[in-house]
PDB file of all heavy atoms in Angstrom:
ATOM      1  N   THR A   1     111.378 104.239 104.399  1.00  0.00           N
ATOM      2  CA  THR A   1     111.713 102.968 104.121  1.00  0.00           C
ATOM      3  C   THR A   1     110.464 102.003 104.196  1.00  0.00           C
ATOM      4  O   THR A   1     109.587 102.260 105.159  1.00  0.00           O
ATOM      5  CB  THR A   1     112.687 102.502 105.189  1.00  0.00           C
ATOM      6  OG1 THR A   1     113.813 103.282 105.109  1.00  0.00           O
ATOM      7  CG2 THR A   1     113.174 100.977 104.977  1.00  0.00           C
ATOM      8  N   TYR A   2     110.281 101.123 103.213  1.00  0.00           N
ATOM      9  CA  TYR A   2     109.205 100.139 103.275  1.00  0.00           C
ATOM     10  C   TYR A   2     107.754 100.795 103.074  1.00  0.00           C
ATOM     11  O   TYR A   2     106.742 100.146 103.200  1.00  0.00           O
ATOM     12  CB  TYR A   2     109.063  99.370 104.578  1.00  0.00           C
ATOM     13  CG  TYR A   2     110.361  98.639 104.895  1.00  0.00           C
ATOM     14  CD1 TYR A   2     111.098  99.023 105.905  1.00  0.00           C
ATOM     15  CD2 TYR A   2     110.805  97.616 103.911  1.00  0.00           C
ATOM     16  CE1 TYR A   2     112.368  98.353 106.177  1.00  0.00           C
ATOM     17  CE2 TYR A   2     112.042  96.890 104.211  1.00  0.00           C
ATOM     18  CZ  TYR A   2     112.847  97.345 105.395  1.00  0.00           C
ATOM     19  OH  TYR A   2     113.971  96.704 105.549  1.00  0.00           O
ATOM     20  N   ALA A   3     107.700 101.954 102.534  1.00  0.00           N
ATOM     21  CA  ALA A   3     106.456 102.676 102.260  1.00  0.00           C
ATOM     22  C   ALA A   3     105.601 101.934 101.318  1.00  0.00           C
ATOM     23  O   ALA A   3     104.398 101.689 101.442  1.00  0.00           O
ATOM     24  CB  ALA A   3     106.669 104.126 101.808  1.00  0.00           C
ATOM     25  N   TRP A   4     106.292 101.424 100.246  1.00  0.00           N
ATOM     26  CA  TRP A   4     105.611 100.636  99.172  1.00  0.00           C
ATOM     27  C   TRP A   4     104.955  99.291  99.769  1.00  0.00           C
ATOM     28  O   TRP A   4     103.843  98.888  99.427  1.00  0.00           O
ATOM     29  CB  TRP A   4     106.316 100.396  97.942  1.00  0.00           C
ATOM     30  CG  TRP A   4     106.493 101.645  97.166  1.00  0.00           C
ATOM     31  CD1 TRP A   4     107.642 102.385  97.002  1.00  0.00           C
ATOM     32  CD2 TRP A   4     105.459 102.513  96.586  1.00  0.00           C
ATOM     33  NE1 TRP A   4     107.503 103.595  96.319  1.00  0.00           N
ATOM     34  CE2 TRP A   4     106.093 103.637  96.044  1.00  0.00           C
ATOM     35  CE3 TRP A   4     104.090 102.393  96.304  1.00  0.00           C
ATOM     36  CZ2 TRP A   4     105.394 104.610  95.314  1.00  0.00           C
ATOM     37  CZ3 TRP A   4     103.350 103.303  95.659  1.00  0.00           C
ATOM     38  CH2 TRP A   4     104.022 104.457  95.159  1.00  0.00           C
ATOM     39  N   ASP A   5     105.754  98.726 100.585  1.00  0.00           N
ATOM     40  CA  ASP A   5     105.226  97.462 101.259  1.00  0.00           C
ATOM     41  C   ASP A   5     104.095  97.724 102.218  1.00  0.00           C
ATOM     42  O   ASP A   5     103.140  96.945 102.078  1.00  0.00           O
ATOM     43  CB  ASP A   5     106.420  96.894 102.189  1.00  0.00           C
ATOM     44  CG  ASP A   5     107.609  96.318 101.438  1.00  0.00           C
ATOM     45  OD1 ASP A   5     107.399  95.996 100.232  1.00  0.00           O
ATOM     46  OD2 ASP A   5     108.631  96.299 101.957  1.00  0.00           O
ATOM     47  N   ARG A   6     104.059  98.815 102.857  1.00  0.00           N
ATOM     48  CA  ARG A   6     102.840  99.250 103.695  1.00  0.00           C
ATOM     49  C   ARG A   6     101.630  99.524 102.783  1.00  0.00           C
ATOM     50  O   ARG A   6     100.543  99.124 103.113  1.00  0.00           O
ATOM     51  CB  ARG A   6     103.251 100.363 104.620  1.00  0.00           C
ATOM     52  CG  ARG A   6     104.130 100.055 105.697  1.00  0.00           C
ATOM     53  CD  ARG A   6     104.299 101.102 106.707  1.00  0.00           C
ATOM     54  NE  ARG A   6     104.871 102.473 106.157  1.00  0.00           N
ATOM     55  CZ  ARG A   6     106.208 102.631 106.133  1.00  0.00           C
ATOM     56  NH1 ARG A   6     107.072 101.720 106.660  1.00  0.00           N
ATOM     57  NH2 ARG A   6     106.690 103.707 105.729  1.00  0.00           N
ATOM     58  N   LEU A   7     101.954 100.166 101.641  1.00  0.00           N
ATOM     59  CA  LEU A   7     100.774 100.387 100.712  1.00  0.00           C
ATOM     60  C   LEU A   7     100.352  99.114 100.163  1.00  0.00           C
ATOM     61  O   LEU A   7      99.043  98.920 100.098  1.00  0.00           O
ATOM     62  CB  LEU A   7     101.264 101.247  99.599  1.00  0.00           C
ATOM     63  CG  LEU A   7     100.265 101.715  98.527  1.00  0.00           C
ATOM     64  CD1 LEU A   7      99.183 102.447  99.229  1.00  0.00           C
ATOM     65  CD2 LEU A   7     100.874 102.527  97.436  1.00  0.00           C
ATOM     66  N   GLU A   8     101.158  98.171  99.789  1.00  0.00           N
ATOM     67  CA  GLU A   8     100.667  96.853  99.322  1.00  0.00           C
ATOM     68  C   GLU A   8      99.839  96.135 100.400  1.00  0.00           C
ATOM     69  O   GLU A   8      98.862  95.590 100.075  1.00  0.00           O
ATOM     70  CB  GLU A   8     101.856  95.997  99.016  1.00  0.00           C
ATOM     71  CG  GLU A   8     102.656  96.563  97.817  1.00  0.00           C
ATOM     72  CD  GLU A   8     102.152  96.185  96.426  1.00  0.00           C
ATOM     73  OE1 GLU A   8     101.383  95.200  96.373  1.00  0.00           O
ATOM     74  OE2 GLU A   8     102.493  96.819  95.490  1.00  0.00           O
ATOM     75  N   ARG A   9     100.271  96.276 101.676  1.00  0.00           N
ATOM     76  CA  ARG A   9      99.504  95.492 102.715  1.00  0.00           C
ATOM     77  C   ARG A   9      98.166  96.245 102.887  1.00  0.00           C
ATOM     78  O   ARG A   9      97.212  95.633 103.242  1.00  0.00           O
ATOM     79  CB  ARG A   9     100.290  95.456 103.987  1.00  0.00           C
ATOM     80  CG  ARG A   9     101.415  94.360 103.894  1.00  0.00           C
ATOM     81  CD  ARG A   9     102.060  94.067 105.125  1.00  0.00           C
ATOM     82  NE  ARG A   9     102.837  92.850 104.886  1.00  0.00           N
ATOM     83  CZ  ARG A   9     103.954  92.607 105.696  1.00  0.00           C
ATOM     84  NH1 ARG A   9     104.205  93.321 106.793  1.00  0.00           N
ATOM     85  NH2 ARG A   9     104.616  91.530 105.512  1.00  0.00           N
ATOM     86  N   PHE A  10      98.107  97.598 102.880  1.00  0.00           N
ATOM     87  CA  PHE A  10      96.948  98.330 102.944  1.00  0.00           C
ATOM     88  C   PHE A  10      95.938  97.876 101.898  1.00  0.00           C
ATOM     89  O   PHE A  10      94.751  97.525 102.272  1.00  0.00           O
ATOM     90  CB  PHE A  10      97.167  99.881 102.869  1.00  0.00           C
ATOM     91  CG  PHE A  10      95.972 100.656 102.614  1.00  0.00           C
ATOM     92  CD1 PHE A  10      94.998 100.849 103.591  1.00  0.00           C
ATOM     93  CD2 PHE A  10      95.771 101.223 101.339  1.00  0.00           C
ATOM     94  CE1 PHE A  10      93.834 101.591 103.238  1.00  0.00           C
ATOM     95  CE2 PHE A  10      94.610 101.986 101.077  1.00  0.00           C
ATOM     96  CZ  PHE A  10      93.654 102.119 102.033  1.00  0.00           C
ATOM     97  N   ILE A  11      96.428  97.844 100.639  1.00  0.00           N
ATOM     98  CA  ILE A  11      95.475  97.387  99.580  1.00  0.00           C
ATOM     99  C   ILE A  11      94.987  95.931  99.863  1.00  0.00           C
ATOM    100  O   ILE A  11      93.786  95.637  99.638  1.00  0.00           O
ATOM    101  CB  ILE A  11      96.247  97.531  98.251  1.00  0.00           C
ATOM    102  CG1 ILE A  11      96.554  99.011  97.927  1.00  0.00           C
ATOM    103  CG2 ILE A  11      95.547  96.893  97.128  1.00  0.00           C
ATOM    104  CD1 ILE A  11      97.525  99.263  96.876  1.00  0.00           C
ATOM    105  N   ALA A  12      95.907  95.096 100.199  1.00  0.00           N
ATOM    106  CA  ALA A  12      95.499  93.621 100.453  1.00  0.00           C
ATOM    107  C   ALA A  12      94.490  93.634 101.596  1.00  0.00           C
ATOM    108  O   ALA A  12      93.440  92.836 101.559  1.00  0.00           O
ATOM    109  CB  ALA A  12      96.758  92.853 100.787  1.00  0.00           C
ATOM    110  N   ALA A  13      94.609  94.487 102.667  1.00  0.00           N
ATOM    111  CA  ALA A  13      93.753  94.493 103.799  1.00  0.00           C
ATOM    112  C   ALA A  13      92.342  94.805 103.417  1.00  0.00           C
ATOM    113  O   ALA A  13      91.357  94.397 103.991  1.00  0.00           O
ATOM    114  CB  ALA A  13      94.275  95.408 104.900  1.00  0.00           C
ATOM    115  N   LEU A  14      92.194  95.596 102.288  1.00  0.00           N
ATOM    116  CA  LEU A  14      90.876  96.144 101.926  1.00  0.00           C
ATOM    117  C   LEU A  14      89.923  95.046 101.517  1.00  0.00           C
ATOM    118  O   LEU A  14      88.653  95.198 101.472  1.00  0.00           O
ATOM    119  CB  LEU A  14      90.987  97.131 100.866  1.00  0.00           C
ATOM    120  CG  LEU A  14      91.750  98.395 101.210  1.00  0.00           C
ATOM    121  CD1 LEU A  14      91.936  99.328 100.037  1.00  0.00           C
ATOM    122  CD2 LEU A  14      90.913  99.157 102.405  1.00  0.00           C
ATOM    123  N   SER A  15      90.427  93.869 101.222  1.00  0.00           N
ATOM    124  CA  SER A  15      89.574  92.740 100.757  1.00  0.00           C
ATOM    125  C   SER A  15      89.050  91.989 101.967  1.00  0.00           C
ATOM    126  O   SER A  15      88.328  90.994 101.709  1.00  0.00           O
ATOM    127  CB  SER A  15      90.275  91.785  99.758  1.00  0.00           C
ATOM    128  OG  SER A  15      91.368  91.290 100.425  1.00  0.00           O
ATOM    129  N   HIS A  16      89.322  92.442 103.137  1.00  0.00           N
ATOM    130  CA  HIS A  16      88.786  91.761 104.342  1.00  0.00           C
ATOM    131  C   HIS A  16      87.983  92.675 105.284  1.00  0.00           C
ATOM    132  O   HIS A  16      88.157  93.942 105.201  1.00  0.00           O
ATOM    133  CB  HIS A  16      90.069  91.258 105.126  1.00  0.00           C
ATOM    134  CG  HIS A  16      90.898  90.250 104.262  1.00  0.00           C
ATOM    135  ND1 HIS A  16      90.557  89.037 104.132  1.00  0.00           N
ATOM    136  CD2 HIS A  16      92.025  90.547 103.539  1.00  0.00           C
ATOM    137  CE1 HIS A  16      91.443  88.343 103.397  1.00  0.00           C
ATOM    138  NE2 HIS A  16      92.388  89.362 103.023  1.00  0.00           N
ATOM    139  N   ASP A  17      87.157  92.067 106.010  1.00  0.00           N
ATOM    140  CA  ASP A  17      86.244  92.826 106.806  1.00  0.00           C
ATOM    141  C   ASP A  17      86.901  93.580 108.005  1.00  0.00           C
ATOM    142  O   ASP A  17      86.637  94.579 108.535  1.00  0.00           O
ATOM    143  CB  ASP A  17      85.132  92.104 107.332  1.00  0.00           C
ATOM    144  CG  ASP A  17      84.135  91.697 106.316  1.00  0.00           C
ATOM    145  OD1 ASP A  17      84.077  92.390 105.241  1.00  0.00           O
ATOM    146  OD2 ASP A  17      83.297  90.748 106.496  1.00  0.00           O
ATOM    147  N   THR A  18      88.007  92.886 108.568  1.00  0.00           N
ATOM    148  CA  THR A  18      88.594  93.337 109.732  1.00  0.00           C
ATOM    149  C   THR A  18      90.028  93.142 109.598  1.00  0.00           C
ATOM    150  O   THR A  18      90.606  92.525 108.772  1.00  0.00           O
ATOM    151  CB  THR A  18      88.210  92.412 110.984  1.00  0.00           C
ATOM    152  OG1 THR A  18      88.651  91.068 110.847  1.00  0.00           O
ATOM    153  CG2 THR A  18      86.694  92.464 111.316  1.00  0.00           C
ATOM    154  N   MET A  19      90.788  93.988 110.452  1.00  0.00           N
ATOM    155  CA  MET A  19      92.232  93.936 110.490  1.00  0.00           C
ATOM    156  C   MET A  19      92.726  92.550 110.919  1.00  0.00           C
ATOM    157  O   MET A  19      93.665  91.974 110.448  1.00  0.00           O
ATOM    158  CB  MET A  19      92.816  94.939 111.446  1.00  0.00           C
ATOM    159  CG  MET A  19      92.589  96.344 111.033  1.00  0.00           C
ATOM    160  SD  MET A  19      93.724  96.769 109.748  1.00  0.00           S
ATOM    161  CE  MET A  19      93.612  98.463 109.689  1.00  0.00           C
ATOM    162  N   ARG A  20      92.021  91.925 111.776  1.00  0.00           N
ATOM    163  CA  ARG A  20      92.435  90.602 112.275  1.00  0.00           C
ATOM    164  C   ARG A  20      92.368  89.564 111.017  1.00  0.00           C
ATOM    165  O   ARG A  20      93.403  88.842 110.810  1.00  0.00           O
ATOM    166  CB  ARG A  20      91.437  90.101 113.319  1.00  0.00           C
ATOM    167  CG  ARG A  20      91.840  88.730 113.903  1.00  0.00           C
ATOM    168  CD  ARG A  20      90.947  88.271 114.904  1.00  0.00           C
ATOM    169  NE  ARG A  20      89.465  88.165 114.589  1.00  0.00           N
ATOM    170  CZ  ARG A  20      88.986  87.115 113.903  1.00  0.00           C
ATOM    171  NH1 ARG A  20      89.643  86.079 113.457  1.00  0.00           N
ATOM    172  NH2 ARG A  20      87.739  87.152 113.518  1.00  0.00           N
ATOM    173  N   LYS A  21      91.325  89.553 110.307  1.00  0.00           N
ATOM    174  CA  LYS A  21      91.210  88.732 109.136  1.00  0.00           C
ATOM    175  C   LYS A  21      92.199  89.022 108.096  1.00  0.00           C
ATOM    176  O   LYS A  21      92.794  88.128 107.527  1.00  0.00           O
ATOM    177  CB  LYS A  21      89.756  88.749 108.548  1.00  0.00           C
ATOM    178  CG  LYS A  21      88.704  88.149 109.395  1.00  0.00           C
ATOM    179  CD  LYS A  21      87.316  88.324 108.777  1.00  0.00           C
ATOM    180  CE  LYS A  21      86.210  87.769 109.585  1.00  0.00           C
ATOM    181  NZ  LYS A  21      84.880  87.966 109.024  1.00  0.00           N
ATOM    182  N   ALA A  22      92.464  90.333 107.838  1.00  0.00           N
ATOM    183  CA  ALA A  22      93.463  90.682 106.890  1.00  0.00           C
ATOM    184  C   ALA A  22      94.782  90.260 107.365  1.00  0.00           C
ATOM    185  O   ALA A  22      95.608  89.661 106.598  1.00  0.00           O
ATOM    186  CB  ALA A  22      93.376  92.153 106.705  1.00  0.00           C
ATOM    187  N   ALA A  23      95.188  90.410 108.568  1.00  0.00           N
ATOM    188  CA  ALA A  23      96.431  90.040 109.091  1.00  0.00           C
ATOM    189  C   ALA A  23      96.682  88.525 108.993  1.00  0.00           C
ATOM    190  O   ALA A  23      97.684  88.047 108.516  1.00  0.00           O
ATOM    191  CB  ALA A  23      96.617  90.441 110.533  1.00  0.00           C
ATOM    192  N   GLN A  24      95.613  87.626 109.382  1.00  0.00           N
ATOM    193  CA  GLN A  24      95.638  86.324 109.148  1.00  0.00           C
ATOM    194  C   GLN A  24      95.918  85.890 107.809  1.00  0.00           C
ATOM    195  O   GLN A  24      96.800  85.034 107.378  1.00  0.00           O
ATOM    196  CB  GLN A  24      94.440  85.632 109.700  1.00  0.00           C
ATOM    197  CG  GLN A  24      94.308  85.652 111.197  1.00  0.00           C
ATOM    198  CD  GLN A  24      92.927  85.075 111.651  1.00  0.00           C
ATOM    199  OE1 GLN A  24      91.949  85.038 110.865  1.00  0.00           O
ATOM    200  NE2 GLN A  24      92.831  84.667 112.867  1.00  0.00           N
ATOM    201  N   ALA A  25      95.185  86.486 106.736  1.00  0.00           N
ATOM    202  CA  ALA A  25      95.521  86.182 105.402  1.00  0.00           C
ATOM    203  C   ALA A  25      96.918  86.642 104.873  1.00  0.00           C
ATOM    204  O   ALA A  25      97.439  85.896 104.024  1.00  0.00           O
ATOM    205  CB  ALA A  25      94.341  86.917 104.542  1.00  0.00           C
ATOM    206  N   LEU A  26      97.464  87.663 105.432  1.00  0.00           N
ATOM    207  CA  LEU A  26      98.733  88.065 105.080  1.00  0.00           C
ATOM    208  C   LEU A  26      99.884  87.400 105.817  1.00  0.00           C
ATOM    209  O   LEU A  26     100.899  87.504 105.449  1.00  0.00           O
ATOM    210  CB  LEU A  26      98.872  89.617 105.250  1.00  0.00           C
ATOM    211  CG  LEU A  26      98.028  90.453 104.457  1.00  0.00           C
ATOM    212  CD1 LEU A  26      97.974  91.876 104.938  1.00  0.00           C
ATOM    213  CD2 LEU A  26      98.620  90.488 102.985  1.00  0.00           C
ATOM    214  N   GLY A  27      99.448  86.548 106.769  1.00  0.00           N
ATOM    215  CA  GLY A  27     100.431  85.800 107.543  1.00  0.00           C
ATOM    216  C   GLY A  27     101.389  86.751 108.479  1.00  0.00           C
ATOM    217  O   GLY A  27     102.474  86.400 108.711  1.00  0.00           O
ATOM    218  N   ILE A  28     100.705  87.732 108.981  1.00  0.00           N
ATOM    219  CA  ILE A  28     101.400  88.658 109.883  1.00  0.00           C
ATOM    220  C   ILE A  28     100.488  88.880 111.121  1.00  0.00           C
ATOM    221  O   ILE A  28      99.265  88.531 111.050  1.00  0.00           O
ATOM    222  CB  ILE A  28     101.800  89.948 109.251  1.00  0.00           C
ATOM    223  CG1 ILE A  28     100.578  90.810 108.788  1.00  0.00           C
ATOM    224  CG2 ILE A  28     102.836  89.813 108.159  1.00  0.00           C
ATOM    225  CD1 ILE A  28     100.859  92.163 108.202  1.00  0.00           C
ATOM    226  N   SER A  29     101.085  89.365 112.182  1.00  0.00           N
ATOM    227  CA  SER A  29     100.211  89.611 113.378  1.00  0.00           C
ATOM    228  C   SER A  29      99.289  90.932 113.096  1.00  0.00           C
ATOM    229  O   SER A  29      99.572  91.664 112.305  1.00  0.00           O
ATOM    230  CB  SER A  29     101.102  89.952 114.661  1.00  0.00           C
ATOM    231  OG  SER A  29     101.759  91.143 114.471  1.00  0.00           O
ATOM    232  N   GLN A  30      98.276  90.927 113.758  1.00  0.00           N
ATOM    233  CA  GLN A  30      97.253  92.095 113.640  1.00  0.00           C
ATOM    234  C   GLN A  30      98.020  93.331 114.038  1.00  0.00           C
ATOM    235  O   GLN A  30      97.849  94.309 113.463  1.00  0.00           O
ATOM    236  CB  GLN A  30      96.083  91.817 114.489  1.00  0.00           C
ATOM    237  CG  GLN A  30      95.072  92.927 114.444  1.00  0.00           C
ATOM    238  CD  GLN A  30      93.819  92.819 115.334  1.00  0.00           C
ATOM    239  OE1 GLN A  30      93.559  91.636 115.707  1.00  0.00           O
ATOM    240  NE2 GLN A  30      93.112  93.795 115.492  1.00  0.00           N
ATOM    241  N   SER A  31      98.812  93.239 115.130  1.00  0.00           N
ATOM    242  CA  SER A  31      99.560  94.483 115.631  1.00  0.00           C
ATOM    243  C   SER A  31     100.498  95.011 114.551  1.00  0.00           C
ATOM    244  O   SER A  31     100.613  96.168 114.328  1.00  0.00           O
ATOM    245  CB  SER A  31     100.146  94.220 116.976  1.00  0.00           C
ATOM    246  OG  SER A  31     101.135  93.321 116.853  1.00  0.00           O
ATOM    247  N   THR A  32     101.108  94.114 113.815  1.00  0.00           N
ATOM    248  CA  THR A  32     101.986  94.459 112.713  1.00  0.00           C
ATOM    249  C   THR A  32     101.281  95.173 111.733  1.00  0.00           C
ATOM    250  O   THR A  32     101.736  96.266 111.140  1.00  0.00           O
ATOM    251  CB  THR A  32     102.821  93.288 112.329  1.00  0.00           C
ATOM    252  OG1 THR A  32     103.614  92.750 113.248  1.00  0.00           O
ATOM    253  CG2 THR A  32     103.676  93.667 111.077  1.00  0.00           C
ATOM    254  N   LEU A  33     100.118  94.627 111.290  1.00  0.00           N
ATOM    255  CA  LEU A  33      99.373  95.311 110.217  1.00  0.00           C
ATOM    256  C   LEU A  33      98.870  96.598 110.623  1.00  0.00           C
ATOM    257  O   LEU A  33      98.996  97.595 109.963  1.00  0.00           O
ATOM    258  CB  LEU A  33      98.272  94.354 109.827  1.00  0.00           C
ATOM    259  CG  LEU A  33      97.340  94.858 108.700  1.00  0.00           C
ATOM    260  CD1 LEU A  33      98.031  95.203 107.365  1.00  0.00           C
ATOM    261  CD2 LEU A  33      96.179  93.907 108.408  1.00  0.00           C
ATOM    262  N   VAL A  34      98.355  96.714 111.799  1.00  0.00           N
ATOM    263  CA  VAL A  34      97.848  98.018 112.401  1.00  0.00           C
ATOM    264  C   VAL A  34      98.950  99.094 112.346  1.00  0.00           C
ATOM    265  O   VAL A  34      98.725 100.220 111.988  1.00  0.00           O
ATOM    266  CB  VAL A  34      97.130  97.862 113.715  1.00  0.00           C
ATOM    267  CG1 VAL A  34      96.926  99.166 114.385  1.00  0.00           C
ATOM    268  CG2 VAL A  34      95.840  97.004 113.503  1.00  0.00           C
ATOM    269  N   THR A  35     100.098  98.642 112.783  1.00  0.00           N
ATOM    270  CA  THR A  35     101.152  99.641 112.942  1.00  0.00           C
ATOM    271  C   THR A  35     101.653 100.104 111.592  1.00  0.00           C
ATOM    272  O   THR A  35     101.938 101.284 111.291  1.00  0.00           O
ATOM    273  CB  THR A  35     102.404  98.925 113.638  1.00  0.00           C
ATOM    274  OG1 THR A  35     102.008  98.552 114.991  1.00  0.00           O
ATOM    275  CG2 THR A  35     103.591  99.812 113.705  1.00  0.00           C
ATOM    276  N   GLN A  36     101.669  99.190 110.629  1.00  0.00           N
ATOM    277  CA  GLN A  36     102.088  99.493 109.188  1.00  0.00           C
ATOM    278  C   GLN A  36     101.057 100.495 108.538  1.00  0.00           C
ATOM    279  O   GLN A  36     101.401 101.505 107.848  1.00  0.00           O
ATOM    280  CB  GLN A  36     102.296  98.289 108.409  1.00  0.00           C
ATOM    281  CG  GLN A  36     103.521  97.476 108.778  1.00  0.00           C
ATOM    282  CD  GLN A  36     103.817  96.340 107.884  1.00  0.00           C
ATOM    283  OE1 GLN A  36     103.058  95.972 107.219  1.00  0.00           O
ATOM    284  NE2 GLN A  36     104.998  95.820 108.095  1.00  0.00           N
ATOM    285  N   ILE A  37      99.767 100.166 108.799  1.00  0.00           N
ATOM    286  CA  ILE A  37      98.769 101.106 108.231  1.00  0.00           C
ATOM    287  C   ILE A  37      98.790 102.422 108.946  1.00  0.00           C
ATOM    288  O   ILE A  37      98.654 103.469 108.298  1.00  0.00           O
ATOM    289  CB  ILE A  37      97.297 100.400 108.136  1.00  0.00           C
ATOM    290  CG1 ILE A  37      97.416  99.180 107.255  1.00  0.00           C
ATOM    291  CG2 ILE A  37      96.199 101.425 107.884  1.00  0.00           C
ATOM    292  CD1 ILE A  37      96.082  98.413 107.175  1.00  0.00           C
ATOM    293  N   ASN A  38      98.927 102.369 110.233  1.00  0.00           N
ATOM    294  CA  ASN A  38      99.075 103.684 110.966  1.00  0.00           C
ATOM    295  C   ASN A  38     100.340 104.466 110.440  1.00  0.00           C
ATOM    296  O   ASN A  38     100.217 105.660 110.205  1.00  0.00           O
ATOM    297  CB  ASN A  38      99.285 103.464 112.477  1.00  0.00           C
ATOM    298  CG  ASN A  38      98.029 102.996 113.056  1.00  0.00           C
ATOM    299  OD1 ASN A  38      96.886 103.188 112.619  1.00  0.00           O
ATOM    300  ND2 ASN A  38      98.188 102.494 114.350  1.00  0.00           N
ATOM    301  N   ARG A  39     101.350 103.877 110.169  1.00  0.00           N
ATOM    302  CA  ARG A  39     102.514 104.576 109.570  1.00  0.00           C
ATOM    303  C   ARG A  39     102.311 105.127 108.161  1.00  0.00           C
ATOM    304  O   ARG A  39     102.679 106.161 107.927  1.00  0.00           O
ATOM    305  CB  ARG A  39     103.795 103.664 109.596  1.00  0.00           C
ATOM    306  CG  ARG A  39     105.021 104.153 108.964  1.00  0.00           C
ATOM    307  CD  ARG A  39     105.652 105.330 109.898  1.00  0.00           C
ATOM    308  NE  ARG A  39     106.570 106.053 109.127  1.00  0.00           N
ATOM    309  CZ  ARG A  39     107.900 105.697 109.171  1.00  0.00           C
ATOM    310  NH1 ARG A  39     108.331 104.654 109.946  1.00  0.00           N
ATOM    311  NH2 ARG A  39     108.781 106.412 108.490  1.00  0.00           N
TER     312      ARG A  39
END
């Protein structure tokens, strides 16, 4: 469930230097982004 959403966020995160910056740009918490990429 939500595998494609996680993939989309991974791809979006690549345009940022850090997970923190990526999460801010995506409008989610850093821990949420890290959890999704870990999954």
Side-chain angles (χ1 to χ4, degrees):
T1 305
Y2 304 114
W4 289 112
D5 292 334
R6 289 191 292 273
L7 181 60
E8 296 277 341
R9 285 189 172 161
F10 163 72
I11 292 166
L14 295 174
S15 63
H16 302 279
D17 290 341
T18 65
M19 292 284 193
R20 181 181 60 79
K21 289 178 184 176
Q24 286 175 339
L26 291 166
I28 60 175
S29 71
Q30 180 178 346
S31 63
T32 297
L33 181 59
V34 169
T35 298
Q36 290 183 344
I37 291 175
N38 287 343
R39 177 66 190 271

